[in-house]
Short mmCIF file of all heavy atoms in Angstrom, two decimals:
data_model
loop_
_atom_site.label_atom_id
_atom_site.label_comp_id
_atom_site.label_asym_id
_atom_site.label_seq_id
_atom_site.Cartn_x
_atom_site.Cartn_y
_atom_site.Cartn_z
N ASP H 364 62.01 71.45 164.28
CA ASP H 364 61.23 71.41 165.53
C ASP H 364 60.40 72.65 165.81
O ASP H 364 59.36 72.57 166.47
CB ASP H 364 62.17 71.19 166.72
CG ASP H 364 62.99 69.92 166.60
OD1 ASP H 364 62.49 68.96 165.98
OD2 ASP H 364 64.13 69.89 167.11
N GLU H 365 60.84 73.81 165.35
CA GLU H 365 60.20 75.06 165.77
C GLU H 365 59.12 75.56 164.81
O GLU H 365 58.13 76.15 165.25
CB GLU H 365 61.27 76.15 165.95
CG GLU H 365 62.34 75.81 166.98
CD GLU H 365 61.77 75.70 168.39
OE1 GLU H 365 60.83 76.45 168.71
OE2 GLU H 365 62.24 74.84 169.15
N VAL H 366 59.30 75.35 163.53
CA VAL H 366 58.32 75.87 162.56
C VAL H 366 56.93 75.34 162.86
O VAL H 366 55.94 76.07 162.83
CB VAL H 366 58.73 75.53 161.12
CG1 VAL H 366 57.61 75.90 160.15
CG2 VAL H 366 59.99 76.29 160.73
N LYS H 367 56.85 74.04 163.19
CA LYS H 367 55.54 73.44 163.45
C LYS H 367 54.84 74.02 164.67
O LYS H 367 53.62 73.86 164.83
CB LYS H 367 55.67 71.92 163.61
CG LYS H 367 56.53 71.47 164.76
CD LYS H 367 56.51 69.94 164.89
CE LYS H 367 57.14 69.27 163.72
NZ LYS H 367 58.54 68.89 163.92
N LYS H 368 55.57 74.71 165.53
CA LYS H 368 54.95 75.37 166.67
C LYS H 368 54.19 76.63 166.24
O LYS H 368 53.34 77.13 166.97
CB LYS H 368 56.00 75.73 167.71
CG LYS H 368 56.69 74.52 168.34
CD LYS H 368 57.74 74.95 169.35
CE LYS H 368 58.46 73.75 169.95
NZ LYS H 368 59.51 74.17 170.92
N HIS H 369 54.55 77.14 165.07
CA HIS H 369 53.93 78.37 164.57
C HIS H 369 52.92 78.12 163.45
O HIS H 369 52.14 79.00 163.12
CB HIS H 369 55.02 79.32 164.05
CG HIS H 369 56.00 79.74 165.10
ND1 HIS H 369 55.74 80.75 165.99
CD2 HIS H 369 57.25 79.26 165.39
CE1 HIS H 369 56.79 80.89 166.80
NE2 HIS H 369 57.70 80.02 166.45
N VAL H 370 52.98 76.93 162.86
CA VAL H 370 52.11 76.61 161.71
C VAL H 370 51.39 75.30 161.97
O VAL H 370 52.03 74.28 162.23
CB VAL H 370 52.93 76.50 160.41
CG1 VAL H 370 52.01 76.21 159.23
CG2 VAL H 370 53.76 77.75 160.16
N ASN H 371 50.07 75.32 161.89
CA ASN H 371 49.27 74.10 162.00
C ASN H 371 49.15 73.47 160.62
O ASN H 371 48.25 73.82 159.84
CB ASN H 371 47.90 74.41 162.58
CG ASN H 371 47.01 73.18 162.68
OD1 ASN H 371 47.49 72.06 162.55
ND2 ASN H 371 45.72 73.40 162.90
N PHE H 372 50.04 72.56 160.29
CA PHE H 372 50.07 72.00 158.95
C PHE H 372 48.85 71.14 158.64
O PHE H 372 48.54 70.88 157.48
CB PHE H 372 51.37 71.22 158.73
CG PHE H 372 52.55 72.11 158.52
CD1 PHE H 372 53.43 72.38 159.56
CD2 PHE H 372 52.77 72.72 157.30
CE1 PHE H 372 54.51 73.22 159.38
CE2 PHE H 372 53.85 73.57 157.11
CZ PHE H 372 54.73 73.82 158.16
N LYS H 373 48.13 70.70 159.67
CA LYS H 373 46.91 69.92 159.44
C LYS H 373 45.82 70.78 158.80
O LYS H 373 44.89 70.25 158.19
CB LYS H 373 46.41 69.33 160.75
CG LYS H 373 47.33 68.24 161.31
CD LYS H 373 46.77 67.66 162.60
CE LYS H 373 47.68 66.57 163.14
NZ LYS H 373 47.17 65.99 164.42
N SER H 374 45.91 72.09 158.97
CA SER H 374 44.90 72.98 158.40
C SER H 374 45.33 73.58 157.07
O SER H 374 44.58 74.34 156.45
CB SER H 374 44.61 74.12 159.40
OG SER H 374 45.73 75.00 159.49
N ILE H 375 46.52 73.24 156.60
CA ILE H 375 47.05 73.81 155.36
C ILE H 375 46.63 72.95 154.17
O ILE H 375 46.88 71.75 154.12
CB ILE H 375 48.59 73.91 155.41
CG1 ILE H 375 49.05 74.79 156.58
CG2 ILE H 375 49.14 74.42 154.09
CD1 ILE H 375 48.55 76.20 156.52
N LYS H 376 45.98 73.57 153.18
CA LYS H 376 45.53 72.84 151.99
C LYS H 376 46.65 72.65 150.98
O LYS H 376 46.70 71.65 150.25
CB LYS H 376 44.36 73.58 151.34
CG LYS H 376 43.11 73.63 152.21
CD LYS H 376 42.00 74.40 151.48
CE LYS H 376 40.76 74.49 152.34
NZ LYS H 376 39.69 75.28 151.65
N ALA H 377 47.52 73.64 150.87
CA ALA H 377 48.62 73.60 149.91
C ALA H 377 49.66 74.62 150.33
O ALA H 377 49.40 75.48 151.18
CB ALA H 377 48.12 73.89 148.49
N ILE H 378 50.83 74.52 149.72
CA ILE H 378 51.93 75.45 150.01
C ILE H 378 52.41 76.06 148.70
O ILE H 378 52.67 75.34 147.72
CB ILE H 378 53.11 74.74 150.71
CG1 ILE H 378 52.71 74.31 152.12
CG2 ILE H 378 54.35 75.64 150.75
CD1 ILE H 378 53.73 73.40 152.79
N VAL H 379 52.50 77.37 148.67
CA VAL H 379 53.18 78.07 147.58
C VAL H 379 54.56 78.43 148.11
O VAL H 379 54.67 79.12 149.12
CB VAL H 379 52.41 79.33 147.16
CG1 VAL H 379 53.26 80.17 146.19
CG2 VAL H 379 51.09 78.96 146.51
N LEU H 380 55.60 77.94 147.46
CA LEU H 380 56.95 78.14 147.97
C LEU H 380 57.78 78.94 146.98
O LEU H 380 58.04 78.50 145.86
CB LEU H 380 57.62 76.79 148.27
CG LEU H 380 58.80 76.90 149.24
CD1 LEU H 380 58.96 75.62 150.06
CD2 LEU H 380 60.09 77.25 148.54
N VAL H 381 58.18 80.12 147.40
CA VAL H 381 58.99 81.03 146.58
C VAL H 381 60.45 80.77 146.92
O VAL H 381 60.89 80.96 148.06
CB VAL H 381 58.63 82.50 146.86
CG1 VAL H 381 59.43 83.42 145.96
CG2 VAL H 381 57.13 82.73 146.68
N THR H 382 61.21 80.32 145.94
CA THR H 382 62.59 79.90 146.19
C THR H 382 63.63 80.83 145.56
O THR H 382 63.49 81.26 144.41
CB THR H 382 62.83 78.47 145.67
OG1 THR H 382 64.24 78.16 145.74
CG2 THR H 382 62.36 78.29 144.24
N ALA H 383 64.66 81.11 146.33
CA ALA H 383 65.75 81.97 145.87
C ALA H 383 66.57 81.32 144.76
O ALA H 383 67.30 82.00 144.03
CB ALA H 383 66.67 82.30 147.04
N HIS H 384 66.46 79.99 144.62
CA HIS H 384 67.31 79.27 143.68
C HIS H 384 66.67 79.07 142.31
O HIS H 384 67.09 78.22 141.54
CB HIS H 384 67.74 77.93 144.29
CG HIS H 384 68.78 78.10 145.34
ND1 HIS H 384 70.12 78.24 145.05
CD2 HIS H 384 68.67 78.25 146.68
CE1 HIS H 384 70.79 78.42 146.17
NE2 HIS H 384 69.94 78.44 147.18
N TRP H 385 65.66 79.88 142.04
CA TRP H 385 65.03 79.84 140.72
C TRP H 385 64.79 81.28 140.30
O TRP H 385 63.84 81.91 140.71
CB TRP H 385 63.73 79.07 140.79
CG TRP H 385 63.14 78.73 139.44
CD1 TRP H 385 63.72 78.86 138.22
CD2 TRP H 385 61.83 78.19 139.22
NE1 TRP H 385 62.87 78.44 137.25
CE2 TRP H 385 61.71 78.01 137.83
CE3 TRP H 385 60.77 77.84 140.06
CZ2 TRP H 385 60.54 77.50 137.25
CZ3 TRP H 385 59.61 77.33 139.48
CH2 TRP H 385 59.50 77.15 138.10
N GLU H 386 65.66 81.82 139.46
CA GLU H 386 65.53 83.18 138.94
C GLU H 386 65.13 83.13 137.48
O GLU H 386 65.75 82.41 136.69
CB GLU H 386 66.85 83.94 139.08
CG GLU H 386 67.18 84.43 140.47
CD GLU H 386 68.35 85.39 140.44
OE1 GLU H 386 69.50 84.93 140.26
OE2 GLU H 386 68.13 86.61 140.58
N GLU H 387 64.12 83.89 137.13
CA GLU H 387 63.66 83.94 135.74
C GLU H 387 63.35 85.40 135.37
O GLU H 387 63.20 86.25 136.23
CB GLU H 387 62.40 83.09 135.55
CG GLU H 387 62.60 81.60 135.81
CD GLU H 387 63.39 80.90 134.72
OE1 GLU H 387 63.69 81.53 133.68
OE2 GLU H 387 63.72 79.70 134.90
N SER H 388 63.21 85.64 134.07
CA SER H 388 62.88 86.99 133.60
C SER H 388 61.42 87.34 133.88
O SER H 388 61.06 88.51 133.98
CB SER H 388 63.18 87.12 132.10
OG SER H 388 62.44 86.17 131.36
N VAL H 389 60.56 86.31 133.95
CA VAL H 389 59.17 86.50 134.37
C VAL H 389 58.87 85.48 135.46
O VAL H 389 59.55 84.46 135.57
CB VAL H 389 58.17 86.33 133.19
CG1 VAL H 389 58.43 87.36 132.12
CG2 VAL H 389 58.23 84.91 132.63
N VAL H 390 57.85 85.77 136.25
CA VAL H 390 57.46 84.84 137.32
C VAL H 390 57.12 83.49 136.70
O VAL H 390 56.30 83.40 135.78
CB VAL H 390 56.25 85.38 138.10
CG1 VAL H 390 55.81 84.37 139.15
CG2 VAL H 390 56.59 86.71 138.76
#
Side-chain angles (χ1 to χ4, degrees):
D364 302 330
E365 300 295 325
V366 172
K367 61 176 66 97
K368 296 179 182 179
H369 299 279
V370 182
N371 178 13
F372 285 100
K373 292 182 179 179
S374 70
I375 301 300
K376 295 179 181 178
I378 292 171
V379 170
L380 201 151
V381 183
T382 171
H384 286 277
W385 192 10
E386 284 191 286
E387 297 287 353
S388 58
V389 298
V390 177

